[in-house]
Amino acid sequence: MMQPERYEVPCLFGKKRAGSISLEVPGSKSITNRALLLATLATGTSVLDGVLFSQDSRHFLNCIKELEFETKVEEERKRITVTGLGGAVPKKEASLYVGSAGTAARFISAYLGMSQGVYHLDASEQMRRRPMAPLLACLEKLGCQVAYEGAEGFFPFTLRANGVRCPEISVDIGDSSQFLSALLISSCLAKEDMEIRVQGRHGMSYIRMTEKMMAQFGVTAKQEEEGCYRIRKGQQYQARRYQVEPDVSAACYFYGMAPLLGAEVQVKHVHFDSLQGDVEFLRILERMGCRVWEDTDGIRVSGNLDGSYQGVEADLSACSDQAITLAALAPFGKGPTRIRGIGHIRFQESNRLEAISTELGKLGILCETGEDFIKIYPGKPKPGLVHTYEDHRMAMGFSLIGLRAEGIVIQDPMCCRKTFETYFEVLEEVVKNICAGEDR
């Protein structure tokens, strides 16, 4: 039963259930927030369809409104209309609150820091703990003055922006690929060719998403050599009508039900040509023993009828949001699962590496962790309360364990509002449909 403070997950394993599940998920947060920023930077009026309405995207949208961009919001139609001014910011002095939205925190800071004006930015306690220093150091190099109210390199701070004065910078993306995405998107504000050198490699699927979306709106970021981007001066984003893809990160929780319950799952409108790197998670499910194929309505994943699947070793550097999802499947696999390439998830909404290990350990599952990996051994999870650390992915990912193990309760389930406001409502509907259906 859904309560604001906890949710007891209904265990379905071993019960008569439907073999086929079909559903839709909301729009992608990553694409929605990139599209919002690109629309503000563009010349003219853009219409964004299929947008996600969640805490993160609402914070991003509120920032745009506070900066006095002309917007029209049609939530029932999942549509936002934004009129951009070719890179100019209407309001030259403002105070903005980004909440816990990493994309708003990084993208809007870069945009304002490369513009002209005085902007005070603050964030939630959670976001105040997350790293900003590599991006803010770049903004200072570009000519922006940064005044901190607390610890250096963290929210809150004030940006005194004077335009781009030095068009050559180096950014370390070891903690977040969003630093590079933020700089790339706003690079068109430079009056000269801009060169961005990159240290680190993780999260490159999100960088590729950024590059593709920039090109869709009319600006090319050329990687002339590995680890070095050049953005030619004089490029300008153009307004357009834009369709936001379904959120593949969210879809993967439901795709995870296929091996877990021996079901067949289709999430509508999710395809392998997606901009989102999380589609690679479906290839991991394939290695675990699932059958994966695509039809006109979307990708389907089918698990073994008896709910059996293999443990795997997987590099999730390209789809690290699915580390928690794979960790939730791991206890029921044949053999251990080792997830690597995820050292940076210590610096996300929670220390996810530690959170996974701690919560699985409380459920009686043996884990080993290293600098950038976690190894999870098979076992039978015992009943328990899962602490979510105000982290939406902990709430959604660990709910999968409860579908197969009795007595799993999710604490603070509503933290999923950050990216998927109705996740547990959709889960309830899926459970009803499963229980009402017939076995394959």
Side-chain angles (χ1 to χ4, degrees):
M1 196 70 182
M2 188 66 184
Q3 299 176 17
E5 66 279 358
R6 59 180 55 195
Y7 176 81
E8 184 169 355
V9 186
C11 180
L12 301 180
F13 193 70
K15 299 177 181 177
K16 186 175 183 180
R17 56 194 185 277
S20 183
I21 306 163
S22 182
L23 70 149
E24 296 185 20
V25 296
S28 163
K29 175 201 74 173
S30 298
I31 295 176
T32 292
N33 285 353
R34 280 168 173 78
L36 283 170
L37 182 57
L38 289 163
T40 66
L41 283 160
T43 299
T45 300
S46 295
V47 179
L48 312 178
D49 288 309
V51 300
L52 170 71
F53 286 93
S54 69
Q55 281 185 340
D56 273 16
S57 60
R58 291 178 202 280
H59 282 306
F60 206 115
L61 181 59
N62 287 341
C63 288
I64 290 172
K65 290 179 177 178
E66 183 62 37
L67 293 169
E68 296 184 350
F69 283 97
E70 183 182 337
T71 62
K72 180 182 178 183
V73 179
E74 301 171 84
E75 189 161 343
E76 288 188 3
R77 300 175 73 179
K78 301 177 183 177
R79 177 179 294 167
I80 299 175
T81 304
V82 181
T83 298
L85 301 175
V89 181
K91 199 171 182 179
K92 298 304 180 185
E93 187 167 347
S95 293
L96 305 176
Y97 180 74
V98 300
S100 296
T103 45
R106 280 71 180 253
F107 293 3
I108 290 174
S109 292
Y111 179 22
L112 298 179
M114 296 168 73
S115 299
Q116 294 188 348
V118 179
Y119 303 101
H120 176 73
L121 287 92
D122 202 357
S124 69
E125 286 300 320
Q126 183 192 75
M127 191 64 222
R128 284 184 176 194
R129 296 190 295 268
R130 295 174 66 183
M132 287 288 294
L135 175 61
L136 295 172
C138 286
L139 296 182
E140 288 182 305
K141 180 75 183 294
L142 290 168
C144 180
Q145 295 176 305
V146 184
Y148 298 101
E149 288 188 14
E152 187 171 329
F154 296 90
F155 283 99
F157 50 78
T158 298
L159 302 175
R160 295 184 179 275
N162 302 290
V164 177
R165 301 295 181 87
C166 173
E168 295 182 8
I169 51 172
S170 177
V171 62
D172 186 341
I173 61 171
D175 292 342
S176 176
S177 65
Q178 289 175 354
F179 301 149
L180 177 55
S181 284
L183 293 166
L184 286 172
I185 291 172
S186 294
S187 61
C188 63
L189 297 175
K191 303 300 184 186
E192 304 294 333
D193 288 0
M194 189 165 178
E195 182 179 285
I196 304 175
R197 292 194 171 273
V198 186
Q199 302 171 41
R201 291 292 302 164
H202 98 266
M204 294 310 292
S205 62
Y206 287 100
I207 303 303
R208 288 191 290 273
M209 174 193 292
T210 297
E211 292 178 60
K212 289 176 182 177
M213 290 188 66
M214 288 173 63
Q216 288 169 340
F217 278 82
V219 172
T220 301
K222 186 177 181 182
Q223 193 168 183
E224 295 190 337
E225 58 184 87
E226 187 174 356
C228 182
Y229 288 86
R230 183 171 292 276
I231 302 89
R232 299 293 181 187
K233 66 180 180 180
Q235 297 187 80
Q236 177 63 59
Y237 294 115
Q238 300 301 319
R240 57 164 295 173
R241 188 155 202 145
Y242 193 84
Q243 180 67 47
V244 175
E245 295 178 3
D247 191 345
V248 178
S249 297
C252 286
Y253 301 120
F254 299 97
Y255 282 129
M257 294 179 187
L260 199 67
L261 300 176
E264 180 184 302
V265 177
Q266 180 185 59
V267 182
K268 294 180 180 178
H269 316 303
V270 173
H271 296 280
F272 279 117
D273 63 358
S274 169
L275 293 172
Q276 300 165 74
D278 279 14
V279 293
E280 288 302 312
F281 182 71
L282 304 183
R283 297 307 186 192
I284 295 172
L285 294 180
E286 204 167 35
R287 288 172 50 208
M288 296 170 77
C290 292
R291 182 171 166 247
V292 179
W293 72 101
E294 183 174 1
D295 62 28
T296 54
D297 292 332
I299 296 171
R300 293 179 181 269
V301 178
S302 179
N304 296 321
L305 286 172
D306 62 357
S308 65
Y309 50 90
Q310 298 296 319
V312 291
E313 173 154 351
D315 182 347
L316 264 65
S317 56
C319 54
S320 61
D321 278 348
Q322 298 312 315
I324 295 172
T325 315
L326 184 54
L329 300 180
F332 310 103
K334 292 182 177 179
T337 290
R338 187 174 184 271
I339 308 169
R340 56 186 171 84
I342 55 171
H344 62 282
I345 72 173
R346 298 178 190 274
F347 306 105
Q348 295 182 310
E349 283 82 343
S350 66
N351 180 338
R352 288 180 176 167
L353 205 51
E354 183 177 293
I356 292 168
S357 178
T358 298
E359 297 309 308
L360 285 178
K362 284 163 52 178
L363 299 178
I365 302 301
L366 178 63
C367 303
E368 297 174 2
T369 59
E371 185 177 343
D372 81 333
F373 77 89
I374 184 167
K375 187 174 184 179
I376 303 166
Y377 291 87
K380 183 178 180 181
K382 62 185 180 182
L385 179 66
V386 174
H387 184 52
T388 53
Y389 307 86
E390 300 179 80
D391 189 334
H392 57 132
R393 301 217 179 278
M394 285 295 294
M396 294 186 283
F398 268 70
S399 68
L400 295 179
I401 295 177
L403 294 174
R404 183 149 170 171
E406 297 280 358
I408 303 300
V409 179
I410 305 297
Q411 184 185 57
D412 186 25
M414 294 312 295
C415 67
C416 69
R417 287 176 295 189
K418 180 173 167 46
T419 54
F420 194 163
E421 293 184 336
T422 60
Y423 172 77
F424 284 97
E425 294 172 28
V426 175
L427 180 61
E428 283 284 326
E429 193 62 32
V430 168
V431 167
K432 286 179 186 176
N433 291 338
I434 289 173
C435 293
E438 297 294 332
D439 289 333
R440 279 188 289 161

